[in-house]
Amino acid sequence: MHFDVFNGDADGICALIQLRLDRPLASRLITGIKRDIQLLDKFTVTSGDRITVLDISLQTNSVRVKEFLNQGARIFYVDHHQPGDIPKHPHLKTLINTDSAICTSLLVNQYLNGKYPLWAITAAFGDNLNHSAEQLAAPLNLSQTELETLKNLGIYINYNGYGGCIDDLHFAPDKLYREMAEFQSPFDFIGGNRDIFMQLEQGYREDMANAQRLVPEYQSDAVAVFILPDTAWARRVNGVFGNFLANLNPTKAHAVITHNKGNDYQVGVRAPLSNKTGADELCAAFPTGGGRKAAAGINHLPGDQLSIFIKKFEDFYS
């Protein structure tokens, strides 16, 4: 049995598309909403099984990785989040780089010697790594319109991964992957599966229009905090809205906060684009926090700790 385990955002989906275009095989897909990163808890293995893991934290899944290795599975693990201590095992192969200019799809692109760069460019744009995407695109002589199309697609795929549950999304990530995976390039997908692309585009534009009407809950010269209403559109848009704000004000850090079920919040943090560091450190100070230097989050912030978070956020980036 082969398992393909991947984050439900643009980076996870596009990374897997590259790998399976290069080496097609039948596999069981394991994924979920973007914040659902303990994906190795969703299945069991037997000796001889092979697992490809893309764009989820090794540190968060380390116990299961060790269990699977001890049970005789072989694991190929590609990621750009802080890994913690990487187990040493002959059946574990890792490609991990936490540089803030790298994402999982860019690592897969390097691994495949640049075989499917358009998918990697799409993912980098989706992860708000615009400079990295443009650098990879430079030798390809794409027109500005083509580059903008890849950027929009990356944003739309990324947008689709956010939500409090699968029902919040326009497409379950495994379904969206299957809709895209048969196409050699993103342009082929847009042309050959136009209805899916248009549904993502329309949903994104409607949700972002709602988000852009909001005013900050708190702001200073260093940070801005937005609290979104308790609605499905707000849960869908929270990640891409954070990227939008970061691009709009690149010297300021941003926090986008949405409601979870129960009296707590989900927090998305974007470090200033002018200083892409510290988001992981800040969020890791809270029990369910973590992520990357440039972009991180807290899955469950208790309601009575909201003011504490805002103060720590302000102090950290002031």
Side-chain angles (χ1 to χ4, degrees), residues 177-246:
Y177 165 78
R178 289 189 180 98
E179 294 284 356
M180 302 172 68
E182 65 185 89
F183 295 98
Q184 290 286 310
S185 82
F187 298 122
D188 292 338
F189 162 68
I190 293 168
N193 213 338
R194 191 73 182 170
D195 288 348
I196 301 292
F197 177 80
M198 293 301 294
Q199 187 171 338
L200 289 173
E201 182 171 67
Q202 181 180 348
Y204 170 79
R205 289 180 175 178
E206 290 176 356
D207 289 353
M208 280 296 291
N210 288 329
Q212 288 176 58
R213 297 187 186 102
L214 299 173
V215 296
E217 177 78 13
Y218 173 87
Q219 67 175 329
S220 66
D221 290 341
V223 303
V225 178
F226 288 78
I227 298 181
L228 275 59
D230 188 7
T231 63
W233 74 258
R235 292 188 291 272
R236 284 195 300 266
V237 85
N238 69 81
V240 290
F241 185 50
N243 291 341
F244 169 81
L245 293 169

Side-chain angles (χ1 to χ4, degrees), residues 19-285:
L19 286 173
R20 292 297 153 252
L21 284 173
D22 180 67
R23 187 186 172 194
L25 56 81
S27 66
R28 180 180 166 193
L29 302 180
I30 307 292
T31 187
I33 60 173
K34 180 176 173 62
R35 290 295 183 95
D36 189 358
I37 59 171
Q38 288 184 274
L39 296 175
L40 299 190
D41 289 344
K42 293 190 173 187
F43 63 101
T44 58
V45 301
T46 57
S47 181
D49 286 348
R50 293 177 179 267
I51 309 164
T52 297
V53 187
L54 303 168
D55 198 37
I56 58 171
S57 163
L58 176 56
Q59 187 170 35
T60 302
N61 290 277
S62 62
V63 172
R64 293 291 277 175
V65 166
K66 292 172 185 174
E67 286 179 2
F68 287 172
L69 292 170
N70 289 337
Q71 289 165 3
R74 294 175 179 267
I75 302 175
F76 178 43
Y77 210 115
V78 190
D79 189 40
H80 63 133
H81 301 91
Q82 292 293 340
D85 295 328
I86 301 175
K88 290 181 169 48
H89 195 283
H91 291 170
L92 174 65
K93 179 178 181 178
T94 61
L95 292 177
I96 295 177
N97 186 337
T98 62
D99 189 286
S100 61
I102 288 289
C103 64
T104 302
S105 283
L106 291 174
L107 291 172
V108 170
N109 179 67
Q110 294 170 7
Y111 174 70
L112 297 178
N113 298 312
K115 200 167 182 180
Y116 305 100
L118 296 178
W119 284 116
I121 292 165
T122 299
F125 275 130
D127 248 14
N128 206 35
L129 300 178
N130 294 346
H131 181 64
S132 298
E134 290 162 0
Q135 278 189 315
L136 183 56
L140 304 181
N141 296 316
L142 299 173
S143 69
Q144 192 57 42
T145 299
E146 288 173 324
L147 199 62
E148 197 68 21
T149 298
L150 295 182
K151 182 176 183 178
N152 287 339
L153 178 60
I155 290 170
Y156 301 160
I157 302 168
N158 212 52
Y159 151 78
N160 182 74
Y162 284 89
C165 61
I166 293 292
D167 288 343
D168 283 343
L169 312 185
H170 294 289
F171 301 99
D174 56 343
K175 174 177 170 54
L176 185 57
Y177 165 78
R178 289 189 180 98
E179 294 284 356
M180 302 172 68
E182 65 185 89
F183 295 98
Q184 290 286 310
S185 82
F187 298 122
D188 292 338
F189 162 68
I190 293 168
N193 213 338
R194 191 73 182 170
D195 288 348
I196 301 292
F197 177 80
M198 293 301 294
Q199 187 171 338
L200 289 173
E201 182 171 67
Q202 181 180 348
Y204 170 79
R205 289 180 175 178
E206 290 176 356
D207 289 353
M208 280 296 291
N210 288 329
Q212 288 176 58
R213 297 187 186 102
L214 299 173
V215 296
E217 177 78 13
Y218 173 87
Q219 67 175 329
S220 66
D221 290 341
V223 303
V225 178
F226 288 78
I227 298 181
L228 275 59
D230 188 7
T231 63
W233 74 258
R235 292 188 291 272
R236 284 195 300 266
V237 85
N238 69 81
V240 290
F241 185 50
N243 291 341
F244 169 81
L245 293 169
N247 291 319
L248 194 65
N249 295 285
T251 61
K252 184 176 285 192
H254 295 86
V256 176
I257 298 173
T258 50
H259 296 261
N260 283 326
K261 292 179 181 178
N263 186 31
D264 68 0
Y265 298 97
Q266 183 182 102
V267 182
V269 172
R270 299 295 183 270
L273 292 183
S274 59
N275 180 29
K276 295 195 292 186
T277 189
D280 55 346
E281 181 182 344
L282 171 71
C283 292

